[in-house]
Amino acid sequence: MEQPINLSPSAAGRVAAIAAKQGRDAALRLAVEGGGCSGFQYRFDLVSEIEGDDVVVERDGVKLVVDPVSLDLVRGSTVDFVESLGGAAFKVENPNAAAGCGCGSSFSI
């Protein structure tokens, strides 16, 4: 069965490393908020608590947690971790986004 959202091996590895350094659970919450230069923006946080209606997918022992409202905007996406000359960051490859901005952290539908 296909998952509603995916976590790449690179992102799972990065979350596990950050969580281990901070002594926290390896659970990354992805939320979508209004704002940003394109209308919506992604927010990432390490979390210890998972709400009853959250969607949780797991890769290599790392959980990706998304609330139902945000999931409607990111369904079918892949959360990745990319490193380049410009820096390193989590990136959402969102097939629902009609447009994005240069920074890669905001999008429109």
Side-chain angles (χ1 to χ4, degrees), residues 43-84:
R43 188 184 83 223
F44 295 99
D45 292 305
L46 281 182
V47 294
S48 298
E49 294 186 21
I50 297 172
E51 302 298 325
D53 60 348
D54 284 337
V55 172
V56 180
V57 297
E58 194 167 336
R59 175 183 288 272
D60 303 329
V62 174
K63 294 176 180 158
L64 175 62
V65 182
V66 185
D67 66 90
V69 174
S70 295
L71 185 61
D72 285 343
L73 298 168
V74 296
R75 186 175 301 278
S77 296
T78 297
V79 176
D80 196 8
F81 182 76
V82 294
E83 296 183 76
S84 67

Side-chain angles (χ1 to χ4, degrees), residues 26-41:
L28 179 70
R29 177 175 294 280
L30 166 61
V32 176
E33 301 175 332
C37 43
S38 292
F40 294 102
Q41 61 187 359

